Amino acid sequence: MENVKIVCPECSSVNSIKIVEGVSIACSQCEEYLDDPFPVEVTDASCKVHILENDIPILIDFYSTVCGPCMAMYDDYEDAALEFPLKVRFLKINADEHQKIAREYGVRALPTIIAFKKGEEVHRISRQLSRVELNLWAQSLI
Ligand SMILES: [Zn+2]
């Protein structure tokens, strides 16, 4: 079986692991479990590492705390993420606090959710999505 690169959700270290169903592997640097599926709050600094270094697909939610639809999607995004440990990494970035990445990817409306595979954007949607829509989208990336 091939090794897969997984960026640690806690410390952003790049780990190269063999994925075995039902086995949790801890980060070699900080010991956080790499299969923790909870959405990772990223910054201008950590965002690129996740997008470029993860071998698994990425979804990233550009949000603002003053955007109604963004906040309305909060729980659905989290629920959807919990179903994809080590399959799809769910990220979120506060686009008010981290404007560099939002500018770089041309994000003009919030929420915008962008899917990446191996560092390449594959699709984006700029509206609130339901848990089912998020689930189907994540499923389609695998
Ligand atoms: Zn770590």
Side-chain angles (χ1 to χ4, degrees), residues 1 4 27 45 49 62 66 81 93-94 108 114 129-130:
M1 202 198 310
V4 176
C27 172
V49 180
F62 291 82
V66 294
I93 185 160
N94 184 321
R108 286 183 193 86
I114 306 181
L129 296 174
S130 69

Side-chain angles (χ1 to χ4, degrees), residues 8-13 15 27-32 34:
C8 174
E10 179 65 30
C11 74
S12 305
S13 296
N15 287 252
C27 172
S28 60
Q29 299 299 312
C30 74
E31 301 190 343
E32 161 73 351
L34 297 173

Side-chain angles (χ1 to χ4, degrees), residues 62 95 102-103 105-112 114 124 126:
F62 291 82
R103 260 203 310 276
Y105 289 112
V107 172
R108 286 183 193 86
L110 299 176
T112 288
I114 306 181
R124 73 168 65 191
S126 295

Side-chain angles (χ1 to χ4, degrees), residues 37-105:
F38 207 77
V40 181
E41 187 83 45
V42 291
T43 65
D44 273 335
S46 65
C47 185
K48 275 314 221 356
V49 180
H50 278 272
I51 291 173
L52 298 176
E53 299 294 337
N54 268 303
D55 281 337
I56 58 173
I58 299 290
L59 280 177
I60 177 164
D61 170 27
F62 291 82
Y63 75 95
S64 157
T65 54
V66 294
C67 148
C70 298
M71 290 296 101
M73 197 174 76
Y74 193 96
D75 289 340
D76 287 330
Y77 195 73
E78 196 174 290
D79 286 347
L82 299 182
E83 296 182 46
F84 295 93
L86 291 185
K87 293 199 164 64
V88 177
R89 177 65 77 201
F90 283 62
L91 307 176
K92 51 197 305 164
I93 185 160
N94 184 321
D96 293 330
E97 291 175 9
H98 305 283
Q99 299 183 359
K100 186 164 156 277
I101 292 290
R103 260 203 310 276
E104 183 174 334
Y105 289 112

